[in-house]
Amino acid sequence: MRSFDGFVCIDWSGQAVARPKGLAMAFCKPGTEPPALIAPEGGWSRAAILEWLMDSAKQGSNILIGLDLSPALPFVDAGGYFPGFPAPEHARALWALVDEVCSGEPHLGVTSFVDHANYSRYFRRHGGREGAAFGGGAGRMRVVEHRQRGSGVSPVSCFNLVGAAQVGKSSLTGMRVLNRLSGTVPVWPFDIVPATGPVIVEIYTSIAARAAGLRKGLSKIRDAAGLDAALGAFGSQPHTPLPRYTDHATDAIVTSAWLRHVHSDAELWQPSGMTPEIAHTEGWTFGVR
């Protein structure tokens, strides 16, 4: 596998505000130097992160970027993203659709999409509004999410927009960003990984937390000692103390160190369960074998 000059983790957020508190970014170089937060004054916006990613492409930055979001909706289980309704047939077309429907919405938000007459019936929304096509239960899952559930982590359906663990809006806002990055930053496994330059992979911070030895239900780090223990599991030196320990900051720091630790594992780039169809329509979470 190719080498990288840096490893970035971006903890994402779908909150419909200009600067979501959940956005966090951490960076580390090869070796054992601890990751550090990249934090602009006033905090990140999704648009600012998009600009940072575009600048990385312009500069040819040789970095591996982990985005904590689902880059696509379930497709394989029902033969389409929105069964029974005309819909995109691959992930890039889905990204373009979400971005087009939400084109007038500020902050790269996606309320226009989840409330849209054609698509809202596939989502479970607040106020007991479960669309007729949601399917009941926990909701539809991607192939890789079913595989994750068998390995000790608990992903949530992107069609579920209710509850603290919901990731639907976060993932849909991420699709708007990925659409605007099209042709500038390759996204694995939808694109071929180039020999140089930045590459984006989907990550799930809970996978890094489990690899660091944190038990299910106790995967959030909120103190310096816990953060250093997790970093040590990946061969990292202790971190520089933070002014404030938040789930988002520590998730980004730990997962960037994890990316550095595991990125050279060839099996993670060619997981046994990922078919060409899955790679084209649903994508795959880096770190899931």
Coordinates of all heavy atoms in Angstrom, one line a residue, residues 36 43 51 86 98 123 127 136-137 141-142 157 181 207 224 237-238 242 263 272 289:
A36 N -2.7 16.3 16.8 CA -3.0 17.6 17.3 C -4.3 18.1 16.6 O -4.5 17.8 15.4 CB -1.9 18.6 17.1
G43 N -14.3 28.1 15.4 CA -14.7 26.7 15.1 C -15.0 26.5 13.6 O -15.0 27.4 12.8
E51 N -13.6 23.8 2.0 CA -12.5 24.6 1.5 C -11.1 24.1 1.8 O -10.2 24.0 1.0 CB -12.6 26.1 2.0 CG -11.6 27.0 1.4 CD -11.8 28.5 1.9 OE1 -12.8 28.7 2.6 OE2 -11.0 29.3 1.5
P86 N -38.2 6.3 -8.8 CA -37.0 6.5 -9.6 C -35.9 7.2 -8.8 O -36.1 8.2 -8.1 CB -37.5 7.5 -10.7 CG -39.0 7.2 -10.8 CD -39.4 6.9 -9.4
V98 N -28.8 14.8 -3.8 CA -28.9 15.5 -2.5 C -28.5 17.0 -2.6 O -29.2 17.9 -2.1 CB -28.1 14.7 -1.4 CG1 -28.2 15.5 -0.1 CG2 -28.7 13.3 -1.2
F123 N -37.7 8.0 5.4 CA -37.0 8.3 6.6 C -37.9 8.2 7.8 O -39.2 8.4 7.7 CB -36.5 9.8 6.5 CG -35.3 9.9 5.5 CD1 -35.6 10.3 4.2 CD2 -34.0 9.7 5.9 CE1 -34.6 10.4 3.3 CE2 -33.0 9.8 5.0 CZ -33.3 10.2 3.7
G127 N -41.0 13.7 15.9 CA -42.4 13.9 16.0 C -43.3 12.7 15.6 O -44.4 12.8 15.2
G136 N -39.7 0.0 9.1 CA -39.9 -0.5 10.4 C -38.6 -0.9 11.0 O -37.5 -1.0 10.4
G137 N -38.7 -1.3 12.3 CA -37.5 -1.8 13.0 C -36.4 -0.7 13.1 O -36.6 0.5 13.3
M141 N -30.0 -1.1 6.4 CA -28.6 -1.0 6.6 C -27.8 -1.3 5.4 O -28.2 -2.1 4.5 CB -28.1 -1.9 7.7 CG -28.7 -1.7 9.1 SD -27.8 -0.5 10.0 CE -28.7 -0.5 11.5
R142 N -26.6 -0.7 5.2 CA -25.7 -1.1 4.2 C -25.1 -2.4 4.5 O -25.0 -2.8 5.7 CB -24.6 0.0 4.0 CG -25.1 1.3 3.5 CD -24.0 2.3 3.3 NE -23.2 2.6 4.5 CZ -22.0 2.9 4.6 NH1 -21.3 3.0 3.5 NH2 -21.4 3.2 5.7
S157 N -29.0 3.1 11.1 CA -29.5 3.3 9.8 C -29.5 4.8 9.4 O -29.9 5.6 10.2 CB -30.9 2.7 9.6 OG -31.4 3.2 8.3
L181 N -16.6 17.9 -4.0 CA -15.2 17.6 -4.1 C -14.9 16.7 -5.3 O -13.8 16.4 -5.7 CB -14.8 16.8 -2.9 CG -14.6 17.5 -1.6 CD1 -14.3 16.6 -0.4 CD2 -13.4 18.5 -1.7
I207 N -14.9 2.1 15.8 CA -14.0 1.1 15.5 C -12.6 1.4 16.1 O -12.0 0.5 16.6 CB -13.9 0.9 13.9 CG1 -15.2 0.4 13.4 CG2 -12.8 0.0 13.5 CD1 -15.3 0.3 11.9
A224 N -7.7 13.6 30.1 CA -6.4 13.4 29.6 C -5.8 12.0 29.7 O -5.2 11.5 28.8 CB -5.5 14.4 30.3
Q237 N 2.9 8.8 21.3 CA 3.3 9.5 22.5 C 2.1 10.2 23.1 O 1.1 10.5 22.4 CB 4.4 10.6 22.1 CG 5.6 10.0 21.5 CD 6.6 11.1 21.0 OE1 6.5 12.2 21.5 NE2 7.4 10.8 20.0
P238 N 2.2 10.6 24.4 CA 1.1 11.3 25.0 C 0.8 12.7 24.3 O 1.7 13.3 23.7 CB 1.6 11.6 26.5 CG 2.7 10.5 26.7 CD 3.3 10.3 25.3
L242 N -5.3 19.5 26.3 CA -6.3 20.3 25.6 C -7.0 21.3 26.5 O -7.1 21.0 27.7 CB -7.4 19.3 25.0 CG -7.0 18.2 24.1 CD1 -8.2 17.4 23.7 CD2 -6.2 18.7 22.9
H263 N -3.2 2.0 8.5 CA -3.4 2.3 7.1 C -2.6 1.4 6.1 O -3.0 1.2 5.0 CB -3.0 3.7 6.8 CG -1.5 3.9 6.6 ND1 -0.6 4.1 7.7 CD2 -0.7 4.0 5.5 CE1 0.6 4.2 7.3 NE2 0.6 4.2 6.0
S272 N -12.9 -8.5 2.2 CA -13.5 -9.7 1.5 C -14.9 -9.6 1.2 O -15.4 -10.1 0.2 CB -13.3 -10.9 2.4 OG -13.9 -10.8 3.7
R289 N -13.2 -5.5 7.9 CA -12.6 -6.5 7.1 C -13.7 -7.3 6.3 O -14.8 -7.4 6.7 CB -11.7 -7.5 7.9 CG -10.6 -6.8 8.6 CD -9.7 -7.8 9.4 NE -8.7 -7.0 10.2 CZ -7.5 -6.7 9.7 NH1 -7.2 -7.0 8.4 NH2 -6.7 -6.0 10.4

